[in-house]
Amino acid sequence: MNFSELSVQQIITVSFTLFAVIDMLGNTPVLLSLKAKMGGHIRALPATLASGALMLLFLFFGKEFLGLMGLDVKSFAVAGSIVIFIIGLEMVLGLEFFKTDPNPRSGSVVPIAFPLIAGSGTLTTIMSLKANFANINIFAGILINCVVIFVILGSLKWIEKALGPSGLIVVRKFFGVILLAIAVKIFGTNLQDFGK
């Protein structure tokens, strides 16, 4: 990682993008349901560490993984931007394109860390961001989101009371629109280099 590439603007953009994709606030009702099914307790630290490790693993070794399949970051970014766009549509329109695993009994790591937090959408987004942002800034964005994940997992009841059902819907739709805009930007930036 090159520390000279540190950029506050990039860190903020990456952090907001990941925050929107992970959608911890929007997933609060799901998390509360899982919490009840797990005996009223979610282990916040193991879930945070596991999801953070998955995201960092994909950040540092995702390119090599793509290389094994003959793909590059630019082409993955174009595909990833489409996934991000669909996630944004889900959030704005209240539709469900991606089905979640209904089995909540495997503990805090599965299904909370994976696939709820560090699912295919999050990992695809990290690879898409690599085409436009420096690794050091994505790394910082992941760490910031890990702190947010830990705090939210430990404050589920308080968040639900503070925002209320309508508040959660507004937050979800707001970040959905942000995701749509980011997806269009990533798509447009990387499409011009497609096939070169």
Side-chain angles (χ1 to χ4, degrees):
M1 284 192 296
N2 188 352
F3 285 93
S4 65
E5 293 179 321
L6 263 175
S7 162
V8 174
Q9 185 180 354
Q10 281 198 15
I11 291 170
I12 290 169
T13 304
V14 168
S15 298
F16 268 101
T17 304
L18 288 175
F19 183 78
V21 171
I22 294 168
D23 192 26
M24 286 298 288
L25 292 176
N27 280 321
T28 298
V30 179
L31 290 166
L32 286 165
S33 171
L34 289 170
K35 186 179 178 181
K37 291 174 183 176
M38 290 174 183
H41 181 65
I42 288 176
R43 294 180 299 148
L45 187 59
T48 304
L49 291 176
S51 56
L54 275 170
M55 289 188 275
L56 290 174
L57 197 66
F58 224 67
L59 170 63
F60 293 115
F61 300 107
K63 188 175 180 179
E64 288 72 16
F65 177 70
L66 290 178
L68 290 173
M69 296 183 288
L71 299 171
D72 59 22
V73 175
K74 296 279 184 187
S75 54
F76 196 84
V78 171
S81 67
I82 296 168
V83 174
I84 297 168
F85 190 85
I86 293 170
I87 294 170
L89 278 181
E90 274 191 338
M91 294 166 74
V92 172
L93 302 177
L95 301 172
E96 186 181 5
F97 295 106
F98 301 107
K99 304 297 179 187
T100 53
D101 184 356
N103 179 17
R105 294 177 182 170
S106 8
S108 295
V109 174
V110 179
I112 294 174
F114 180 85
L116 195 61
I117 297 172
S120 56
T122 306
L123 300 180
T124 303
T125 300
I126 288 169
M127 285 304 298
S128 301
L129 290 170
K130 279 176 71 75
N132 292 59
F133 300 94
N135 274 5
I136 184 71
N137 299 314
I138 301 172
F139 178 78
I142 290 171
L143 291 185
I144 289 167
N145 272 275
C146 283
V147 172
V148 173
I149 290 164
F150 180 74
V151 170
I152 289 176
L153 285 177
S155 317
L156 286 175
K157 282 188 179 178
W158 183 86
I159 291 166
E160 187 187 34
K161 286 178 184 176
L163 290 176
S166 56
L168 289 172
I169 291 169
V170 169
V171 168
R172 189 178 179 89
K173 290 188 183 299
F174 172 73
F175 280 107
V177 172
I178 289 176
L179 273 193
L180 291 174
I182 289 167
V184 169
K185 182 179 178 182
I186 291 173
F187 184 85
T189 304
N190 292 283
L191 191 65
Q192 60 193 11
D193 296 320
F194 211 58
K196 288 185 180 178

